[in-house]
Amino acid sequence: YQNLCGLLLWFPASHLGWQTFEFFNMRAAWQMLPNSALFAIMVYSSTQAIRALPVPMTSVLRNLAPITITLVEWLLMKGPVPSLGVLFSMALLLLGAFVAAVNDLAFNPVGYLWMMTNVASNVSHLLVLRKLKLNKDLSNTQILHYSALWSLFWLIPVGLYEDIGHTVRELTKMPLEFKLVVMSTGINHILA
């Protein structure tokens, strides 16, 4: 929904002269393809992991992504050395993940596989995104625009497979306040 709102706002923004790029450019679209594919894998693997693992477990395991990103930037990309406070925080997060995993009585290897896929795609997505921003071939607005285009390409078939129609029908039964909050997420995404 957020992606659709963003794409639809391109038209009035273009008409008002706020957009300086065309709606679709093949070179820019291909440049964004890996990043958008990783984002789709990240979203899908997260939904699959949450089906197989308890919510606290997925929350704890998600902490592995920022730890991995920090280590990759530091060790492989020759970034700044994390402070002792950051290293201590990372150690606590790893300890928490270990304790949670050891005490997971309903151990589900499929859920852990989905969660590791989520972490790997999250890290890869952010590293590819950082490279795109460093190259400066595309503006931040273009990156968001092509991410939205590709995300629709990836996520609509998944939504149809997962019966998004059922979710929409359930949404229509919700109170007006809830519907307004859901609708506002599309606008919030654009303004953020």
Side-chain angles (χ1 to χ4, degrees), residues 20 22 44 60 65 166:
T20 58
E22 57 190 315
Y44 186 73
V60 168
H166 173 73

Side-chain angles (χ1 to χ4, degrees), residues 46-117:
S46 177
T47 61
Q48 296 305 308
I50 201 81
R51 289 178 177 179
L53 295 175
V55 172
M57 182 58 71
T58 58
S59 297
V60 168
L61 292 174
R62 276 203 180 108
N63 290 331
L64 296 177
I67 292 170
T68 306
I69 291 167
T70 303
L71 291 175
V72 166
E73 287 178 343
W74 172 33
L75 299 172
L76 299 179
M77 300 173 77
K78 307 299 182 213
V81 176
S83 69
L84 287 177
V86 169
L87 290 173
F88 180 69
S89 297
M90 289 170 45
L92 288 177
L93 289 170
L94 287 171
L95 178 64
F98 176 75
V99 169
V102 166
N103 292 306
D104 182 12
L105 300 177
F107 181 80
N108 184 329
V110 172
Y112 280 93
L113 180 63
W114 279 117
M115 202 60 232
M116 291 305 106
T117 302

Side-chain angles (χ1 to χ4, degrees), residues 64-179:
L64 296 177
I67 292 170
T68 306
I69 291 167
T70 303
L71 291 175
V72 166
E73 287 178 343
W74 172 33
L75 299 172
L76 299 179
M77 300 173 77
K78 307 299 182 213
V81 176
S83 69
L84 287 177
V86 169
L87 290 173
F88 180 69
S89 297
M90 289 170 45
L92 288 177
L93 289 170
L94 287 171
L95 178 64
F98 176 75
V99 169
V102 166
N103 292 306
D104 182 12
L105 300 177
F107 181 80
N108 184 329
V110 172
Y112 280 93
L113 180 63
W114 279 117
M115 202 60 232
M116 291 305 106
T117 302
N118 178 264
V119 170
S121 59
N122 186 350
V123 170
S124 301
H125 169 261
L126 291 174
L127 291 173
V128 169
L129 184 61
R130 178 159 299 146
K131 185 174 185 247
L132 282 168
K133 288 184 175 190
L134 288 175
N135 286 349
K136 299 189 190 250
D137 290 341
L138 300 172
S139 68
N140 287 343
T141 308
Q142 285 175 295
I143 289 171
L144 289 172
H145 178 77
Y146 286 100
S147 290
L149 274 174
W150 277 116
S151 292
L152 289 176
F153 174 78
W154 301 117
L155 297 176
I156 285 176
V158 171
L160 293 173
Y161 175 75
E162 298 284 340
D163 193 15
I164 196 169
H166 173 73
T167 305
V168 171
R169 287 188 297 278
E170 290 298 314
L171 179 62
T172 61
K173 298 175 187 174
M174 295 291 179
L176 177 62
E177 295 84 9
F178 184 81
K179 292 176 193 172

Side-chain angles (χ1 to χ4, degrees), residues 1-13 19 23 144-145 148-149 152 182-191:
Y1 173 72
Q2 294 171 345
N3 294 331
L4 191 58
C5 287
L7 289 172
L8 291 177
L9 281 178
W10 182 88
F11 295 101
Q19 292 298 353
F23 186 80
L144 289 172
H145 178 77
L149 274 174
L152 289 176
V182 170
M183 289 176 58
S184 74
T185 63
I187 303 303
N188 293 340
H189 168 73
I190 295 162
L191 298 176

Side-chain angles (χ1 to χ4, degrees), residues 33-56:
L33 176 63
N35 186 59
S36 298
L38 289 165
F39 177 76
I41 293 167
M42 183 178 66
V43 170
Y44 186 73
S45 62
S46 177
T47 61
Q48 296 305 308
I50 201 81
R51 289 178 177 179
L53 295 175
V55 172

